[in-house]
Amino acid sequence: MAGLSFCNAIGVVLLAVLAFPLCYTFIPPQVHEVKGKCAVVTGASTGIGVQIAHVLASEGISKLVITARSKEKLDAVAANITKHYPKTQVFAEKSDVSKPEDRTALAETVAKTFGSCPTTLVNNAGVESFLHMELQSAKPKIDQMIDINIRGLIHLTNDFLPMLIKSGGHIVNIASLAGKMPGIGVNVYSATKFAVIGFSLNLRADMRHRKLDVSVHCVMPGIVKEAGMADDMGKQIGLPLESITDLAGFSRPIDTANAVVEAIKYDHPELIVNSLPVWPLIAIHSIFPRWFDFTFELPLPSVERLNAWFDKVTDYQSQK
Ligand SMILES: NC(=O)c1ccc[n+]([C@@H]2O[C@H](COP(=O)([O-])OP(=O)(O)OC[C@H]3O[C@@H](n4cnc5c(N)ncnc54)[C@H](OP(=O)(O)O)[C@@H]3O)[C@@H](O)[C@H]2O)c1
């Protein structure tokens, strides 16, 4: 009897201790507003960035700067947003995140345009190349991914932080599930996304520790259907994305866009966006690092289809 009540007491204490983090994880309170604030979205000329810009406008962002290298596409996106959300002032700014002079100019233009308006910087611009790492011809693609996905993102954040600290705001970094688990052929891309996640979590801790009014969030989509880089690659090699999404799950650009808003409103440090729950796999991999050695070798049709898709993209892109 005494043993049972001791166990009950331990159970009650454990539940009480867990209640707080469980509540904050699964039913967090809304702590921030998006309406009336300002935002910058990089990589907003195509793919996921276009949806992020649309959803931010639909949430009532007052001033929105969209950037990428292709001015023509940006102008078309800006016109479309203005048509649907006339209350949002949209500015299309041509800017290459891999060029220091462009990053500085963008930060200056945004500071002038927004004044003291609390600002969200969405670091979405990114590129992906599947590589056979032993090929010397891979070097320009390796540099491009590092320059855009991580060096550009970190330096742009550095350029924006003085104004964000003054006005208050958010930084939302678009990483990837490739930054949480290995894939095939995505070696360098995956490395850049692991780096984005590490940078985001550490910068968030820095801002909180120094009691600065900037919160940092990381949004991690898995494979995205309907638009974006994975969809483009499927079309290039003529193998449908379903070959991989059967096993790996998928999401749509709108899901990532909604996750950006949710991350801001509920102050999530990180959000995974995928139709299948993948966090148990990530947890298993953290405890048993050999897990993925076996996963990619399982003699299952879905695993073979997934490997065939990745092999074909890697061969195709390595030859380009
Ligand atoms: N699609 C997916 O399955 C998927 C999955 C997980 C994570 N993600 C991440 O989501 C983000 C958006 O990807 P996406 O699928 O939408 O790709 P996307 O359709 O290829 O769009 C990439 C965007 O980045 C811009 N960009 C590329 N290089 C740039 C540079 N040097 N400077 C400024 N802008 C640049 C492109 O515009 P310009 O060419 O006009 O510059 C474009 O607007 C990326 O960070 C990607 O890693 C995508």
Side-chain angles (χ1 to χ4, degrees):
M1 267 324 257
L4 193 63
S5 56
F6 179 69
C7 283
N8 285 350
I10 297 235
V12 170
V13 171
L14 265 179
L15 265 182
V17 170
L18 279 176
F20 191 65
L22 281 175
C23 245
Y24 256 81
T25 303
F26 296 108
I27 33 171
Q30 180 173 342
V31 283
H32 296 291
E33 264 305 330
V34 173
K35 197 173 176 186
K37 311 274 172 70
C38 296
V40 184
V41 183
T42 71
S45 62
T46 55
I48 298 170
V50 176
Q51 266 311 332
I52 296 174
H54 269 266
V55 167
L56 285 171
S58 76
E59 287 282 328
I61 281 282
S62 66
K63 289 181 185 173
L64 178 65
V65 168
I66 56 172
T67 86
R69 293 165 303 180
S70 158
K71 180 77 165 89
E72 229 173 87
K73 288 184 190 163
L74 279 178
D75 285 339
V77 175
N80 200 13
I81 295 174
T82 306
K83 191 172 124 197
H84 287 96
Y85 308 103
K87 285 191 184 148
T88 300
Q89 270 185 282
V90 191
F91 307 87
E93 291 293 333
K94 182 179 157 79
S95 178
D96 183 334
V97 292
S98 68
K99 293 190 175 153
E101 62 280 14
D102 282 20
R103 294 190 297 256
T104 319
L106 181 66
E108 282 169 8
T109 307
V110 168
K112 268 189 222 136
T113 314
F114 290 177
S116 59
C117 178
T119 295
T120 292
L121 168 65
V122 184
N123 281 313
N124 166 72
V127 288
E128 178 176 35
S129 295
F130 286 66
L131 300 174
H132 288 303
M133 270 307 285
E134 69 280 14
L135 296 177
Q136 287 303 297
S137 57
K139 283 199 185 301
K141 289 175 189 161
I142 296 172
D143 287 342
Q144 195 199 31
M145 282 186 276
I146 293 172
D147 285 347
I148 296 171
N149 298 3
I150 190 68
R151 186 177 286 128
L153 181 148
I154 290 178
H155 279 290
L156 192 69
T157 302
N158 172 261
D159 289 329
F160 268 82
L161 261 178
M163 83 165 265
L164 294 188
I165 289 171
K166 261 193 229 154
S167 66
H170 298 261
I171 298 167
V172 186
N173 294 326
I174 308 300
S176 166
L177 267 186
K180 284 283 189 190
M181 52 169 74
I184 305 280
V186 282
N187 29 58
V188 177
Y189 176 74
S190 179
T192 64
K193 294 302 181 177
F194 267 84
V196 170
I197 295 169
F199 174 64
S200 309
L201 293 178
N202 278 272
L203 186 62
R204 180 179 170 95
D206 287 346
M207 296 291 116
R208 289 176 77 88
H209 174 66
R210 293 169 59 200
K211 305 215 176 331
L212 297 171
D213 189 16
V214 178
S215 197
V216 184
H217 322 273
C218 196
V219 173
M220 292 162 268
I223 294 151
V224 177
K225 274 184 179 179
E226 291 179 0
M229 48 180 63
D231 198 59
D232 293 345
M233 279 171 212
K235 285 176 188 146
Q236 273 172 12
I237 60 164
L239 279 183
L241 265 190
E242 282 66 28
S243 316
I244 45 177
T245 54
D246 281 357
L247 191 70
F250 67 93
S251 63
R252 299 190 161 82
I254 185 78
D255 302 318
T256 297
N258 287 334
V260 167
V261 170
E262 201 186 321
I264 298 169
K265 283 187 177 171
Y266 298 95
D267 201 25
H268 289 291
E270 41 176 56
L271 279 180
I272 290 175
V273 186
N274 201 46
S275 58
L276 297 175
V278 284
W279 61 265
L281 289 183
I282 296 165
I284 292 172
H285 174 64
S286 306
I287 305 167
F288 306 108
R290 280 181 198 275
W291 170 258
F292 281 106
D293 290 356
F294 301 115
T295 311
F296 291 118
E297 284 167 16
L298 286 173
L300 295 172
S302 53
V303 175
E304 282 158 15
R305 272 201 304 279
L306 179 124
N307 287 339
W309 194 93
F310 282 124
D311 285 340
K312 195 160 180 193
V313 176
T314 311
D315 289 343
Y316 176 84
Q317 294 208 333
S318 294
Q319 283 158 15
K320 279 210 303 171

